Amino acid sequence: MERNYEGAIRYLNSRRATAKTNLDGMRGSDDMLQWLKILGHSIEDLNGLNVIHVAGTKGKGSTCAFVASFLKVHRNATGYPQKIGLYTSPHMRNIRERIRINGVPISSELFTTRFFEIWDKLPDQATPNLDIPRYLQLLALLSFHVFIEEKVDVAIYETHFGGEYDATNIIRMPIITAVTSIAMDHKLLGSTIEEVAWHKAGIFKSGSLAFSTLQEPAVTVVLQQRAAEKEVRLEFIGIDSGLPTNAMALKPTVQRINCSLAFTVFRAWLSKMAPKAQSTMKDILYRGIEHFSWPGRYQQINEHNYQWFLDGAHNELSLQYAVQWFAESASADQR
């Protein structure tokens, strides 16, 4: 294959694996530290990314995007953080959407350069002691490599799925961890809501602040237990009373939940990383919401005489939220 952007995509796609039938086969973090070391990076390098790590069943991507939007508004006003990394999944149009700096997908040139830098170093055949990275593991490694080499000031990470064994969960000292709404998820995470919650809380790290949206009682108990085990202070966040009432981005109720969590995470990160920052929080809140964009999530497009309602619902809870949003939006538009 040619060593260009198209060739990089073909190499990456060649690592797509067949669906796994058990959790052991899905563990994404097992060899990540060894692969990271092969690339010349260390845990200390990851810690230097000043990570915000987000897990959950519903709203991970939106929450990450809200955090990034608030950070960008602060950057525009003060100059800090200068470079904001954002890693999410899945993508809609092209793979580069998963790795963004300052809200913009990395260029095809940067993607190609950084991809082959890691591809040439990583093993291409599995051995009894070391596997080869699969698709999502390779993407996580690429994001780490890009953010380290591009010297981002903060990296916002959305887990792929789960948390405890996720490929992104080799981050040992995130600044903030956050858990969005939890519901029944991929069957490999367990057959009960408690099992799912146990996996999601796997991102909690001793020494890091932890936040969660309000959860159902069974989930709350598990999150509190895991936080106690890891000696983490966990705070549950309700809807912020200071949110604007008429913002289009907050029309779905669930986005008010996600935005409230994201704004708390943003303020906690800023308080830890720039405690002397002089910023008007209300202005950042309103501007961050105004400039928020997350295509394919509760997105309404008006085109001539047509209205399109787009949402990438992919589990039962997401579908319920999407149906409610569509019903409310369609009803309001007909008044």
Side-chain angles (χ1 to χ4, degrees):
M1 296 184 193
E2 294 185 19
R3 294 175 66 87
N4 53 22
Y5 178 67
E6 291 73 20
I9 297 301
R10 284 193 288 271
Y11 278 121
L12 175 61
N13 287 335
S14 72
R15 292 296 176 85
R16 288 185 180 273
T18 56
K20 304 298 181 180
T21 58
N22 58 72
L23 188 59
D24 286 338
M26 286 293 292
R27 290 181 184 235
S29 58
D30 284 354
D31 291 323
M32 286 291 289
L33 289 177
Q34 293 184 65
W35 293 324
L36 191 71
K37 186 176 180 180
I38 290 172
L39 297 180
H41 301 309
S42 65
I43 287 296
E44 288 70 28
D45 292 329
L46 294 189
N47 295 340
L49 295 177
N50 302 316
V51 170
I52 296 169
H53 203 186
V54 181
T57 301
K58 174 62 182 173
K60 299 191 303 293
S62 293
T63 299
C64 289
F66 271 120
V67 173
S69 186
F70 295 137
L71 285 168
K72 189 174 181 181
V73 170
H74 190 273
R75 167 186 175 269
N76 292 343
T78 69
Y80 181 79
Q82 188 62 38
K83 288 188 176 182
I84 304 162
L86 176 62
Y87 178 75
T88 59
S89 60
H91 61 274
M92 290 186 65
R93 295 181 178 177
N94 68 73
I95 192 71
R96 295 179 289 107
E97 295 171 9
R98 299 187 183 218
I99 306 175
R100 301 172 185 247
I101 296 179
N102 293 339
V104 180
I106 61 173
S107 67
S108 56
E109 292 78 13
L110 182 60
F111 183 98
T112 303
T113 298
R114 297 305 187 196
F115 177 84
F116 282 109
E117 285 174 355
I118 70 170
W119 182 264
D120 291 341
K121 294 179 180 178
L122 292 167
D124 58 5
Q125 290 187 339
T127 68
N129 297 321
L130 186 64
D131 202 351
I132 60 172
R134 299 185 297 271
Y135 182 81
L136 289 177
Q137 294 166 325
L138 200 52
L139 279 171
L141 288 166
L142 177 60
S143 73
F144 291 142
H145 182 59
V146 168
F147 292 155
I148 290 169
E149 294 299 324
E150 298 302 312
K151 297 180 172 58
V152 301
D153 299 295
V154 55
I156 307 161
Y157 269 87
E158 174 190 1
T159 58
H160 298 140
F161 111 113
E164 179 70 29
Y165 303 127
D166 193 79
T168 63
N169 204 30
I170 60 169
I171 302 164
R172 292 290 182 262
M173 293 183 64
I175 304 299
I176 309 288
T177 58
V179 177
T180 64
S181 300
I182 293 177
M184 290 307 299
D185 208 314
H186 199 293
K187 62 182 181 181
L188 293 180
L189 294 180
S191 58
T192 68
I193 193 73
E194 291 87 352
E195 290 175 306
V196 174
W198 185 91
H199 282 282
K200 304 296 185 181
I203 66 168
F204 293 163
K205 300 293 187 303
S206 179
S208 301
L209 297 175
F211 300 95
S212 170
T213 58
L214 298 178
Q215 307 281 356
E216 64 175 86
V219 172
T220 298
V221 169
V222 174
L223 296 185
Q224 290 174 327
Q225 289 173 342
R226 296 223 69 192
E229 292 168 3
K230 295 170 179 283
E231 299 181 338
V232 170
R233 191 188 76 180
L234 171 63
E235 183 178 345
F236 291 90
I237 306 300
I239 294 179
D240 192 324
S241 61
L243 296 182
T245 56
N246 298 319
M248 283 299 297
L250 303 183
K251 201 171 183 180
T253 300
V254 66
Q255 289 296 60
R256 300 183 74 82
I257 297 172
N258 295 331
C259 182
S260 298
L261 177 63
F263 193 56
T264 298
V265 166
F266 158 73
R267 286 184 298 176
W269 185 92
L270 193 65
S271 177
K272 195 159 186 179
M273 298 304 301
K276 296 182 180 180
Q278 299 293 321
S279 304
T280 304
M281 286 297 137
K282 184 176 180 179
D283 185 59
I284 290 176
L285 175 63
Y286 276 58
R287 288 183 178 274
I289 293 169
E290 179 185 353
H291 294 290
F292 171 80
S293 176
W294 205 232
R297 280 76 164 183
Y298 305 108
Q299 182 182 8
Q300 182 175 341
I301 299 175
N302 298 318
E303 186 178 61
H304 305 300
N305 295 325
Y306 298 96
Q307 289 181 309
W308 304 91
F309 296 85
L310 310 177
D311 187 73
H314 61 283
N315 55 50
E316 185 176 348
L317 181 61
S318 297
L319 189 58
Q320 291 174 4
Y321 285 145
V323 169
Q324 179 183 2
W325 163 70
F326 170 71
E328 292 174 353
S329 299
S331 175
D333 288 339
Q334 290 176 0
R335 292 171 189 166

